[in-house]
Amino acid sequence: MKAIEVEHLSFSYETGENEEKKNILHDLSFSVEQGESIAFIGPNGSGKSTLMKLLVALLEKDEGKITLLGQELNEDSVDDLRKKMGIIFQNPDNQFIGATVRDDIAFGLENRLIPHEDMEDIVREYALKVGMIDFLDKEPSSLSGGQKQRVAIAGVLSMKPEIVYMDEATAMLDPKGRKEIMELTSLMKKENPNMTILMVTHHMEEALLCDRIIVLHEGKAYLEGTPLYVFSHEQELKEIGLDLPFNLKLKSALKKEDFSFDEDEDIKEIMKNICHA
Amino acid sequence: MSRINFDHVYYTYDVSSPLPSVALEDISFTLEGHFFSAIIGHTGSGKSTLVQQINALLRPTKGRVIVGEFEINEGKKKIKEIKSLRKNVGVVFQFSEYQLFEETVLKDVSFGPKNFSDSDEDATLKAKNALKKVGIKEEYFTKSPFELSGGEKRRVAIAGMIAMNPEILVLDEPTAGLDPKGAQEILDLFKELYDQGTSILIITHDMNLVLKYCNQVLLMHQGKLKGIYAPSELFYQEELLLETGIDAPEIIEIVKLCEENGLSLNRKEIKDITSLVREIKRCKGK
Ligand SMILES: Nc1ncnc2c1ncn2[C@@H]1O[C@H](COP(=O)(O)OP(=O)(O)OP(=O)(O)O)[C@@H](O)[C@H]1O
Ligand SMILES: Nc1ncnc2c1ncn2[C@@H]1O[C@H](COP(=O)(O)OP(=O)(O)OP(=O)(O)O)[C@@H](O)[C@H]1O
Ligand SMILES: [Mg+2]
Ligand SMILES: [Mg+2]
């Protein structure tokens, strides 16, 4: 089954009287299989967060059709569908409801009618997974930037939603922390093969680990395909202000300086060969 | 000439509550002259707490911070002095969207210069220049700052500080949320300001940035200052990195690999992919 089907989606924000109305998304179509992980990349202001909000019906589309888990997203289905989805916002402060980290993670579980006796165990399990077990009694507002993001991630993942949206959910984490979260999501996907993940990121290394990448630009899908396919379009990506992951950038720089090597080979092998050439 | 001095600074959140949390412990250091420095450290190590002492948003629980001619200690300062401190030291916070508050983008960025007694006209001009520099197009000037994307908000917050032309610019995660080209342009802008005499202090998790731009790094670990290092040395100290939970930039692993395979690279020269490739060519006599 398809987790997400977006057909001819258009959207523009309300504008003031003197402002020109601008289509943020324009006739956008794409679909996502259940169990897939998709990275949305694109320049600042390209509509990534807007798209996430449309998919959870926090914004209302102008035109087009959104189908989630086989149901068309509309007034009748939205409550039911929201129970199956979880979103981590770009700013984690928009997320917190509970007075403590424990309450905050538990809140989502309560909403999903998880029995009370299981709750504490689940809260602890996920707090541990994101490295926040020592902070259960703290107020979310009194955490550091990276700690807030970790709690927001625990809160959403603990509910095991069928579709997870992560809007720059790791932007305040260090590279190690980002890796840990990527490992956590891929573990969750293994345990829950139907879990679909959509993440928005400016970190190309993160996008590289997803099944597929969709590049948003000027309201449309500018490029779409496997990470290997998308990142083989260096010029097109550069044109809109995007970049390659480190290894590919290094290969490209070596090639420009006339080093010869087999491009499919692992970067370490390539470097060794260059050293010994 | 810019100077930031921390003299045995301690900071504890909620001191008198049942759950006090110690965020800074006995921090002492001096940044002096003309600097482009970084503060790094694991999540929760105290970086943001530290920078908030620099413009007196938080005051030390014990010890003192001296910035230029201003002293910040536990006592209360007169507001007037704080105002002139904040004119000299511009701080862009980690969640910089909370720094935005005016009706329009242009008014928001003009606020600083106007508040520090520029004429309306001068302030507007400075704001427009700053916005242009951070890549915000003119069509956005009349928009509400709350109706911007995450990356656009950060750019506007940075412009707000640049417009005041402070002596020291302190930025907490300035590239988080920026697209790769935007991040590059903002860093080039900081470099340009640095070359014109501004001192820069950046808090960041982006070790590539640290290696490429900064001339010294303050490493925080569990609320303490572990030490001050040159980036090109710090990132080769495996044990220290492991202990403090820092991942070296990817390029360091490649440098080490080349060295193990017989190249004698000049580590000090290697700051990014371009300079790495240049060094490899030099070694191979290309
Ligand atoms: N509430 C709003 N009202 C009007 N315009 C808005 C609003 N929110 C966003 N916009 C505009 O819509 C465009 C898309 O914004 P969006 O937040 O979706 O971008 P994004 O791709 O998530 O960018 P970023 O990488 O900076 O987070 C931007 O140009 C922004 O200025
Ligand atoms: N308002 C607050 N009240 C209580 N404790 C706080 C508050 N803000 C931060 N802390 C705690 O102080 C410690 C240091 O936080 P700080 O925000 O300085 O970390 P940081 O190094 O900036 O981390 P990050 O990289 O995640 O932004 C953390 O353990 C945090 O939980
Ligand atoms: Mg966004
Ligand atoms: Mg911080």
Side-chain angles (χ1 to χ4, degrees):
Chain A
M1 182 168 75
K2 285 204 180 358
I4 300 175
E5 216 171 349
V6 168
E7 296 161 89
H8 308 291
L9 181 64
S10 291
F11 176 81
S12 58
Y13 284 100
E14 288 300 320
T15 46
E17 277 173 26
N18 308 323
E19 283 174 87
E20 218 178 304
K21 223 176 158 93
K22 193 171 130 193
N23 258 345
I24 304 296
L25 300 175
H26 185 69
D27 196 19
L28 175 70
S29 298
F30 65 88
S31 67
V32 179
E33 293 295 326
Q34 239 180 343
E36 246 191 322
S37 63
I38 307 277
F40 280 90
I41 61 176
N44 290 136
S46 57
K48 304 179 297 297
S49 298
T50 303
L51 174 62
M52 295 300 125
K53 288 178 195 157
L54 284 163
L55 289 172
V56 292
L58 284 175
L59 291 172
E60 216 177 304
K61 62 186 191 303
D62 294 339
E63 273 166 62
K65 186 173 166 195
I66 298 174
T67 310
L68 302 171
L69 302 164
Q71 280 189 78
E72 182 172 351
L73 178 64
N74 55 31
E75 263 171 44
D76 299 329
S77 65
V78 62
D79 287 339
D80 181 41
L81 281 171
R82 278 214 183 119
K83 291 195 190 103
K84 300 175 181 167
M85 303 192 285
I87 179 163
I88 302 161
F89 292 104
Q90 192 160 359
N91 180 345
D93 286 336
N94 297 341
Q95 193 104 20
F96 299 129
I97 301 166
T100 62
V101 168
R102 172 185 284 106
D103 289 354
D104 200 82
I105 301 177
F107 181 82
L109 297 171
E110 251 168 67
N111 262 351
R112 293 196 188 202
L113 309 174
I114 305 282
H116 240 277
E117 56 270 27
D118 300 341
M119 210 115 82
E120 176 70 9
D121 285 347
I122 300 177
V123 168
R124 295 186 70 85
E125 180 191 341
Y126 281 86
L128 192 67
K129 281 181 170 163
V130 298
M132 291 298 293
I133 190 76
D134 293 334
F135 292 82
L136 285 176
D137 296 316
K138 291 257 183 184
E139 272 176 56
S141 63
S142 75
L143 299 174
S144 81
Q147 290 166 345
K148 282 180 183 173
Q149 288 202 306
R150 287 167 186 265
V151 172
I153 291 168
V156 167
L157 291 185
S158 66
M159 298 185 281
K160 298 193 180 166
E162 289 182 51
I163 305 178
V164 184
Y165 304 96
M166 302 173 78
D167 191 355
E168 297 194 45
T170 62
M172 299 290 172
L173 298 186
D174 52 26
K176 211 176 236 145
R178 281 205 298 273
K179 255 179 247 161
E180 286 163 17
I181 297 299
M182 288 304 282
E183 276 159 22
L184 174 58
T185 53
S186 74
L187 184 77
M188 297 244 354
K189 268 185 56 189
K190 250 183 227 140
E191 290 169 2
N192 309 278
N194 280 337
M195 183 183 265
T196 306
I197 300 182
L198 264 66
M199 60 170 72
V200 172
T201 182
H202 290 299
H203 292 277
M204 303 302 142
E205 316 292 333
E206 251 172 19
L208 191 61
L209 297 176
C210 292
D211 298 325
R212 205 146 53 89
I213 298 177
I214 297 178
V215 185
L216 273 191
H217 177 56
E218 295 186 335
K220 283 203 165 47
Y222 173 83
L223 264 176
E224 180 180 345
T226 62
L228 270 185
Y229 172 81
V230 168
F231 288 129
S232 68
H233 294 72
E234 184 180 0
Q235 208 42 48
E236 287 86 341
L237 292 172
K238 284 239 166 91
E239 259 162 44
I240 62 166
L242 301 181
D243 207 353
L244 298 181
F246 177 81
N247 285 351
L248 296 175
K249 222 168 19 183
L250 178 56
K251 284 183 190 177
S252 160
L254 289 167
K255 214 166 73 183
K256 278 182 200 131
E257 292 294 335
D258 295 328
F259 286 97
S260 53
F261 52 86
D262 176 2
E263 275 187 60
D264 296 332
E265 206 158 29
D266 181 67
I267 190 71
K268 289 191 177 154
E269 284 309 309
I270 294 176
M271 295 314 294
K272 275 186 204 162
N273 290 336
I274 286 178
C275 288
H276 294 296
Chain B
M1 176 117 137
S2 353
R3 185 162 184 274
I4 299 178
N5 168 238
F6 273 59
D7 182 13
H8 299 286
V9 170
Y10 290 75
Y11 188 82
T12 304
Y13 286 99
D14 311 318
V15 185
S16 48
S17 81
L19 268 176
S21 89
V22 179
L24 298 178
E25 256 188 282
D26 200 13
I27 308 278
S28 292
F29 67 88
T30 306
L31 297 176
E32 218 164 0
H34 185 210
F35 52 85
F36 198 133
S37 308
I39 302 180
I40 66 171
H42 194 259
T43 289
S45 60
K47 305 179 298 295
S48 298
T49 307
L50 192 156
V51 300
Q52 290 175 69
Q53 320 275 329
I54 297 177
N55 81 342
L57 203 72
L58 297 176
R59 284 149 182 267
T61 311
K62 213 171 102 189
R64 55 185 192 154
V65 178
I66 298 169
V67 181
E69 57 197 88
F70 307 99
E71 174 170 332
I72 304 152
N73 50 34
E74 345 156 23
K76 287 251 187 280
K77 275 253 160 202
K78 281 191 210 114
I79 277 299
K80 196 176 161 218
E81 272 188 53
I82 285 191
K83 192 169 161 186
S84 82
L85 165 68
R86 290 187 182 158
K87 179 176 163 46
N88 286 289
V89 185
V91 183
V92 180
F93 296 110
Q94 187 164 10
F95 292 99
S96 52
E97 52 258 55
Y98 299 139
Q99 283 176 280
L100 308 172
F101 59 94
E102 280 279 5
E103 246 169 81
T104 70
V105 166
L106 188 61
K107 277 190 193 161
D108 204 281
V109 178
S110 327
F111 178 85
K114 218 178 271 182
N115 194 29
F116 294 116
S117 64
D118 272 353
S119 71
D120 281 10
E121 212 170 299
D122 284 354
T124 307
L125 194 68
K126 281 182 186 169
K128 283 185 176 167
N129 276 333
L131 283 164
K132 213 171 284 162
K133 284 192 171 150
V134 299
I136 294 290
K137 292 195 207 101
E138 212 166 321
E139 56 188 276
Y140 285 75
F141 288 6
T142 53
K143 262 188 107 159
S144 155
F146 304 104
E147 296 179 349
L148 297 175
S149 80
E152 290 162 354
K153 281 180 186 156
R154 186 165 298 272
R155 289 169 198 246
V156 172
I158 293 172
M161 286 305 145
I162 288 175
M164 294 203 288
N165 192 24
E167 224 172 282
I168 306 176
L169 196 54
V170 182
L171 306 122
D172 197 346
E173 300 286 353
T175 56
L178 294 190
D179 59 44
K181 178 156 161 258
Q184 186 59 56
E185 285 169 357
I186 287 281
L187 287 166
D188 289 341
L189 173 60
F190 297 157
K191 179 74 171 57
E192 186 188 317
L193 292 171
Y194 171 72
D195 289 339
Q196 292 164 5
T198 312
S199 283
I200 312 265
L201 178 60
I202 292 186
I203 288 75
T204 186
H205 287 301
D206 181 353
M207 297 304 138
N208 296 308
L209 176 175
V210 174
L211 183 63
K212 184 164 177 194
Y213 290 92
C214 299
N215 31 46
Q216 58 181 353
V217 195
L218 285 75
L219 172 58
M220 292 292 294
H221 182 52
Q222 298 177 346
K224 299 199 179 88
L225 179 64
K226 192 77 190 170
I228 303 186
Y229 310 86
S232 58
E233 283 161 20
L234 171 66
F235 292 132
Y236 295 95
Q237 300 190 31
E238 274 168 50
E239 268 170 45
L240 179 61
L241 297 183
L242 199 66
E243 182 199 340
T244 52
I246 303 284
D247 264 0
E250 291 107 330
I251 201 162
I252 301 294
E253 210 180 315
I254 303 290
V255 172
K256 287 187 192 160
L257 183 85
C258 291
E259 289 176 343
E260 281 158 23
N261 285 278
L263 298 195
S264 45
L265 300 170
N266 184 352
R267 288 180 175 181
K268 274 213 180 93
E269 291 295 318
I270 300 172
K271 294 182 178 294
D272 56 9
I273 287 180
T274 314
S275 47
L276 169 69
V277 174
R278 199 187 312 130
E279 267 298 298
I280 294 176
K281 277 174 72 182
R282 185 187 59 79
C283 286
K284 300 300 292 179
K286 266 185 111 168

